[in-house]
Amino acid sequence: MNWLWALIVGLILGLIAKAIIPGKQQIPLWLTVLCGLIGSVLGNWAATGLGVNETRGIDWIRHILQLIGAIVLVVIAGRIWITVRGNRSRHTRT
């Protein structure tokens, strides 16, 4: 059941990250979920390092760090995806 929640959180974080970044991201849904998952892990790691991983009530700082991680990863993944897809389409045309 934990994996299901991880996928849901990854999807939500990835979609929010894509909505925040200006312009259209060309990455597929599976890569969006993966970026959200890894961003969540990175955000948790940063929150633990800063000592804010467990607070009373809603862990806003931890959630913001998770979202920042997802945003960074979606930007990086988007650039890599465009580069790889662009190179692949150029090679198939020749």
Side-chain angles (χ1 to χ4, degrees):
M1 193 66 171
N2 288 335
W3 283 103
L4 178 63
W5 280 114
L7 289 174
I8 292 169
V9 168
L11 174 64
I12 292 169
L13 279 173
L15 290 175
I16 293 172
K18 283 178 76 169
I20 290 174
I21 300 168
K24 183 177 180 185
Q25 282 66 52
Q26 301 292 329
I27 63 174
L29 185 61
W30 66 267
L31 190 53
T32 302
V33 172
L34 187 63
C35 289
L37 279 169
I38 297 171
S40 175
V41 171
L42 290 175
N44 286 338
W45 176 74
T48 301
L50 294 171
V52 295
N53 59 328
E54 292 186 26
T55 59
R56 284 194 232 170
I58 298 174
D59 295 331
W60 290 110
I61 296 172
R62 181 172 55 96
H63 295 314
I64 290 171
L65 290 170
Q66 290 173 334
L67 182 58
I68 290 170
I71 289 170
V72 169
L73 290 174
V74 167
V75 167
I76 292 169
R79 291 181 186 205
I80 292 171
W81 185 260
I82 293 290
T83 302
V84 169
R85 298 296 284 184
N87 286 340
R88 186 178 298 161
S89 66
R90 275 190 231 130
H91 291 297
T92 57
R93 288 184 194 160
T94 57

